[in-house]
Amino acid sequence: MREIALFGEDIGHESVLSSLIYRYALEYGITVNIRTLSARGGITKVYYEFDSFLRDINKARISTPDLIVVATDSNCIGYLKRRQQLEKVVNKYGALADLVAYAIPEPHIERWVLADGDAFKNVVGKGCTLPRIKCAKDEYKRLLALSVRDAGIRPILGGMEYAEDIIKSANLSRIEKNEPSFEKTAKQLRGFFQRWQ
């Protein structure tokens, strides 16, 4: 069994990435155990908890997982800049950098949930369209909730309560084509699963 540690800003990152990881685990025939170590509190908390976790591994206080996934929205500063910020944390701990995969939705995780209109329709009953990238704060939260409402459903958690099922039924190749930031994450995750085979 492969042990995977997951850090994310919020429940959306946890839902989407856990579903994606379990899909790859099934595809590659590998058993995984995902421990979500941060899924609340935003980017500042992710940095702090991620750094603390890496420090504890480095000092042999806790066991080393097979993979550490760290997820945070780019918030329109760009994938590369956000990744460089996360790498500054990782680089303090040398060889642990080889265990990290970066999931940096551009600009927000809700966009990945909207990226496959057919999967969205399969889950909520009506498709959605993927809008052009917009950088307004909470714009994708609003668009996701609106798309769920358009399907005649009241979104209790803004629509993210459907993220897991959408990712489970999504055409991942289509999302990769539509979303370069998703493609970068998918390639990293598949790389770990391929090495584990």
Side-chain angles (χ1 to χ4, degrees):
M1 178 179 297
R2 296 294 179 168
E3 295 294 327
I4 300 173
L6 173 60
F7 289 85
E9 285 184 54
D10 57 38
I11 191 96
H13 294 99
E14 179 183 13
S15 296
V16 170
L17 290 161
S18 293
S19 296
L20 183 60
I21 291 166
Y22 283 127
R23 275 196 67 174
Y24 289 136
L26 186 62
E27 180 182 327
Y28 287 92
I30 294 171
T31 305
V32 299
N33 178 46
I34 301 172
R35 285 187 353 175
T36 303
L37 299 170
S38 178
R40 310 281 184 290
I43 192 166
T44 303
K45 190 167 184 182
V46 169
Y47 281 115
Y48 174 77
E49 291 180 356
F50 182 50
D51 186 43
S52 296
F53 182 71
L54 295 175
R55 183 174 46 256
D56 286 346
I57 292 172
N58 197 49
K59 292 186 175 184
R61 292 181 186 148
I62 58 174
S63 60
T64 304
D66 298 292
L67 169 62
I68 304 165
V69 179
V70 60
T72 179
D73 293 330
S74 77
N75 291 331
C76 291
I77 68 165
Y79 177 93
L80 184 59
K81 186 170 183 180
R82 182 67 81 205
R83 180 169 170 154
Q84 288 170 340
Q85 290 171 340
L86 291 166
E87 286 173 337
K88 283 182 184 177
V89 175
V90 176
N91 290 339
K92 295 190 287 186
Y93 304 103
L96 294 179
D98 294 338
L99 299 177
V100 178
Y102 301 91
I104 306 170
E106 192 158 1
H108 304 106
I109 191 72
E110 292 82 4
R111 187 169 167 81
W112 287 6
V113 177
L114 295 166
D116 183 349
D118 292 339
F120 196 91
K121 182 177 181 178
N122 289 341
V123 172
V124 300
K126 184 177 180 181
C128 64
T129 56
L130 183 65
R132 293 177 52 138
I133 290 185
K134 301 175 184 181
C135 287
K137 183 174 173 39
D138 294 331
E139 179 68 8
Y140 288 97
K141 284 180 176 28
R142 184 186 71 75
L143 292 170
L144 177 58
L146 180 63
S147 295
V148 171
R149 269 192 229 99
D150 285 349
I153 300 171
R154 183 174 166 257
I156 305 298
L157 299 174
M160 285 309 285
E161 62 269 36
Y162 300 103
E164 184 177 328
D165 291 331
I166 291 168
I167 295 301
K168 282 181 184 175
S169 67
N171 178 328
L172 298 181
S173 297
R174 181 180 299 145
I175 298 178
E176 285 185 44
K177 183 179 176 186
N178 291 336
E179 288 301 301
S181 63
F182 182 89
E183 179 184 27
K184 291 171 186 167
T185 299
K187 282 183 178 178
Q188 290 175 73
L189 294 175
R190 283 196 311 267
F192 278 92
F193 280 97
Q194 288 163 1
R195 278 180 289 209
W196 295 337
Q197 276 191 312

